[in-house]
Amino acid sequence: MNAYEVTFKKKDRYCVNVAMAESKQAVEAHYTGKYGWCAVEDCTAYKLAVARRKGCPVVTIN
């Protein structure tokens, strides 16, 4: 699985999650279906470590 940084809009607020998935397309399909808009980028190992350390959501998409 690969790590992706996902930015999406929930109501009037922009949010960022880290998603673990097989492909960028799977992440886009998941978040677009839920929130209507998202931007997906590759997540570096550093950003993944920071997210885990801070307790940020790391979503697994099958």
Side-chain angles (χ1 to χ4, degrees):
M1 292 204 141
N2 300 312
Y4 298 96
E5 186 175 27
V6 186
T7 303
F8 59 97
K9 189 173 182 181
K10 185 177 181 180
K11 297 186 182 182
D12 292 333
R13 193 179 295 188
Y14 285 94
C15 305
V16 177
N17 281 358
V18 174
M20 302 297 290
E22 292 295 327
S23 69
K24 183 177 179 178
Q25 291 78 16
V27 176
E28 288 173 340
H30 177 80
Y31 278 89
T32 301
K34 278 181 121 173
Y35 302 107
W37 175 86
C38 71
V40 181
E41 298 180 14
D42 291 335
C43 184
T44 64
Y46 175 76
K47 286 183 180 181
L48 179 58
V50 169
R52 286 185 171 152
R53 186 178 73 236
K54 289 184 174 182
C56 297
V58 178
V59 179
T60 302
I61 300 171
N62 294 329

